[in-house]
Amino acid sequence: WDGQVQAFAQDGSEAILKGHSKRVTTLAVHQGVLMSGSADKEVRLWQMDPVAKTFNCTHTIEESLPGPISKIHVLGGHLFVGGLYGLAMLDLATLKVSKLLPPTKAVADLLEFQGHIIAAYSEGIIKIFDAEGTLKSETRQLEAGPILRLAGLESGPRVLCGHQCGQVSTITLPSFEFKTAFQ
């Protein structure tokens, strides 16, 4: 909860990554770079120094991010950054936010499907964006209420939405139609 990331290697070595001031909520790896998002409203990029066997923070991004970070996901040339105040697209070439995608509401989870990002918002709505941030589809608020997590199933295919009160909703893909909810 103090902002540290502890890394473990297969050879038994360990490393502590220090830099965030609040708890780290999400991690991703892209082209050998570890990316971390935190409640401190920052995304940090870390690279391993193979000689010293330590991780160094090479970049800290905080400008134009959507508040405390909950999820990050790489798609194409962008890092999608979900936070308390919405979804931002960070251009990986410039490390600058290129778009803020509406709505400005808390992002609960992100899931990739066929070159698109499925964004679940805590209030219970879901939006699908393409790799350039264009809105392709959205649901109205699901009856099961606030969403905590998303999972993809190849059978169907469909998306499972885990809700705050223990219910699970299913949405068929690629039509993006609500199918059923169960507990």
Side-chain angles (χ1 to χ4, degrees), residues 96-118:
K96 302 278 184 203
V97 171
S98 58
K99 284 185 183 178
L100 294 171
L101 305 173
T104 54
K105 298 184 178 193
V107 173
D109 208 355
L110 300 172
L111 180 69
E112 183 178 343
F113 177 75
Q114 294 182 348
H116 293 73
I117 285 288
I118 301 172

Side-chain angles (χ1 to χ4, degrees), residues 1-5 19-27 35-44 61 65-72 81-84:
W1 302 106
D2 61 1
Q4 293 184 30
V5 175
H20 286 292
S21 61
K22 294 184 178 177
R23 69 185 169 99
V24 173
T25 54
T26 182
L27 298 170
M35 296 174 272
S36 58
S38 169
D40 65 9
K41 306 175 190 175
E42 295 178 345
V43 171
R44 289 181 175 258
I61 300 133
L65 291 180
I69 310 301
S70 56
K71 291 291 177 178
I72 57 177
V81 181
L84 184 61

Side-chain angles (χ1 to χ4, degrees), residues 33-95:
V33 177
L34 175 65
M35 296 174 272
S36 58
S38 169
D40 65 9
K41 306 175 190 175
E42 295 178 345
V43 171
R44 289 181 175 258
L45 308 182
W46 308 84
Q47 289 187 299
M48 170 69 129
D49 178 342
V51 176
K53 292 194 175 195
T54 60
F55 281 88
N56 297 312
C57 179
T58 57
H59 297 86
T60 301
I61 300 133
E62 54 190 328
E63 186 176 327
S64 300
L65 291 180
I69 310 301
S70 56
K71 291 291 177 178
I72 57 177
H73 188 88
V74 174
L75 180 62
H78 294 96
L79 178 67
F80 284 77
V81 181
L84 184 61
Y85 305 114
L87 186 60
M89 290 178 63
L90 179 76
D91 185 312
L92 289 172
T94 64
L95 298 180

Side-chain angles (χ1 to χ4, degrees), residues 97-173:
V97 171
S98 58
K99 284 185 183 178
L100 294 171
L101 305 173
T104 54
K105 298 184 178 193
V107 173
D109 208 355
L110 300 172
L111 180 69
E112 183 178 343
F113 177 75
Q114 294 182 348
H116 293 73
I117 285 288
I118 301 172
Y121 293 84
S122 295
E123 68 176 8
I125 64 169
I126 299 174
K127 294 190 175 223
I128 296 182
F129 299 95
D130 68 13
E132 298 306 314
T134 303
L135 179 65
K136 294 300 184 178
S137 189
E138 62 185 304
T139 65
R140 57 180 165 68
Q141 188 169 359
L142 297 175
E143 286 186 29
I147 298 172
L148 298 176
R149 295 287 175 259
L150 294 176
L153 286 179
E154 290 182 23
S155 64
R158 62 185 148 238
V159 173
L160 300 178
C161 306
H163 296 273
Q164 185 174 351
C165 294
Q167 288 183 298
V168 176
S169 296
T170 65
I171 297 173
T172 59
L173 296 171

